[in-house]
Amino acid sequence: MATQADAQELASLRALSASIGLNPHMTQAAGGNTSLKAGDTLWIKASGTWLKDALSDDIMVPVAMAPLLEAVERRDPAADKPQAFAIEDLNPRGLRPSIETTVHALMPQRVVLHVHCVDTISLAVQADGETEVARRLSGIEWAWVPYFRPGLPLARGIAEKLRPGVDVLILGNHGLVVAAETVAGAEALLHRVRSLLARQPRATAAPDIAALTALADGYRLPADVEAHAVALDPESLGMAEAGSLYPDHVIFLGQGSVVARSGEDVAGVTARLGAAPPAILFPGAGVLMRGDASAGADAMQRCLADVTARVDSKARLNYLTAAENDELVNWDAEQYRQMLNAANTA
């Protein structure tokens, strides 16, 4: 770090990052990222690492900010591979910077927090989300950025929306970004925005564990009991079955959600699809996860339940298109993140 003050701020950022990472309503699995600018260097969470591990593992990577921003300005494809801008002398483990490094570099503030807050996502997937956010964030300098693939496309989308004073971004079908000059300021702003965007989830009945256990042929119960809610609430179930709502769902669970038909068991679902999906939703009973599903898949199944329970049941939703789904699945940066996730949970 350049100065003792920078080192102290980075220590504070690590502590805040771990706290954020331990809250499933704030971020899930390897999603979300935090950063600190120290002179010309951007310290940012490494791709594939979990924010919850920020105090127990070295997950921050130093990036040369000026050449990265120049690449974004030129629309240079190199900006989509931020590992090319990592400062090797300060990165002995060879970690790759977050796929969203460009987002952090573009924000002028010194500290940037990007979270996949379930309340924010529930608004960011609604067709009327921007209008609803405007009503809730009156008095805050914020901007709405429509969906773009994370990386260079999202960076360019943000660059078009940034204006002086903006310190909050709502990313369509994605999440929340807040920025400030200090870690304490960023934390305060994050809590303020989250409280203003908070939404009450719909209540559901308890899952039918006995029925699910009887069906669990090569499958298991999800890590979090809250994950069952998406199969127990008809509105949430309909939303999930209709398609993919945000990128990390596609990365960790595949496109859309698989819903069992009436009377169908695991073998029947697998035979119908020709493959065993990471998760199966059994209406009125709950969710089963494939036996080898990763911790990331479990976290995202819980996220799906938390998000859909907060979406207005009457709202029209914006789903990722087939092309957007394919773009995520075949993206090198996300394949790398998946590889790390599998290695960390094997």
Side-chain angles (χ1 to χ4, degrees), residues 97-281:
S98 166
I99 55 177
E100 288 159 336
T101 297
T102 47
V103 172
H104 293 251
L106 276 171
M107 297 295 287
Q109 295 87 352
R110 194 158 170 255
V111 178
V112 179
L113 312 175
H114 168 47
V115 295
H116 295 164
C117 163
V118 297
D119 292 294
T120 305
I121 296 173
S122 75
L123 288 162
V125 301
Q126 293 188 188
D128 65 349
E130 185 173 4
T131 300
E132 178 63 16
V133 169
R135 185 180 69 80
R136 290 166 174 258
L137 295 188
S138 176
I140 289 178
E141 288 295 327
W142 67 281
W144 176 280
V145 182
Y147 177 79
F148 293 95
R149 174 178 66 72
L152 182 56
L154 178 57
R156 296 304 311 171
I158 288 173
E160 292 174 5
K161 293 286 186 173
L162 275 182
R163 61 183 188 275
V166 166
D167 53 12
V168 174
L169 301 177
I170 307 296
L171 308 180
N173 293 87
H174 190 151
L176 170 67
V177 176
V178 301
E181 292 306 318
T182 65
V183 172
E187 181 178 15
L189 182 58
L190 175 62
H191 290 310
R192 180 186 177 196
V193 172
R194 285 191 67 225
S195 68
L196 291 172
L197 298 182
R199 311 181 83 184
Q200 189 68 27
R202 290 185 296 278
T204 62
D208 189 338
I209 300 300
L212 291 170
T213 302
L215 288 166
D217 179 16
Y219 278 67
R220 58 170 174 77
L221 295 173
D224 295 339
V225 68
E226 292 87 352
H228 293 293
V230 67
L232 303 172
D233 173 59
E235 287 85 1
S236 295
L237 188 67
M239 295 172 197
E241 190 172 19
S244 309
L245 289 167
Y246 41 88
D248 270 6
H249 179 96
V250 180
I251 300 307
F252 289 98
L253 291 169
Q255 300 183 30
S257 295
V258 173
V259 178
R261 294 172 179 171
S262 179
E264 201 171 40
D265 59 10
V266 167
V269 172
T270 301
R272 169 164 59 88
L273 297 178
I280 302 174
L281 281 54

Side-chain angles (χ1 to χ4, degrees), residues 6-79:
D6 289 335
Q8 291 173 347
E9 276 291 84
L10 186 59
S12 296
L13 182 63
R14 287 180 184 275
L16 176 57
S17 298
S19 174
I20 289 171
L22 289 169
N23 184 345
H25 288 166
M26 196 103 74
T27 196
Q28 310 80 29
N33 29 76
T34 60
S35 72
L36 170 71
K37 298 178 181 74
D40 296 328
T41 301
L42 174 71
W43 290 85
I44 187 163
K45 193 204 79 164
S47 178
T49 62
W50 294 41
L51 281 173
K52 70 178 181 63
D53 297 327
L55 287 176
S56 59
D57 195 10
D58 186 11
I59 68 169
M60 305 301 284
V61 183
V63 174
M65 201 158 47
L68 175 61
L69 287 173
E70 290 169 6
V72 172
E73 182 64 26
R74 297 194 309 268
R75 291 179 167 80
D76 186 341

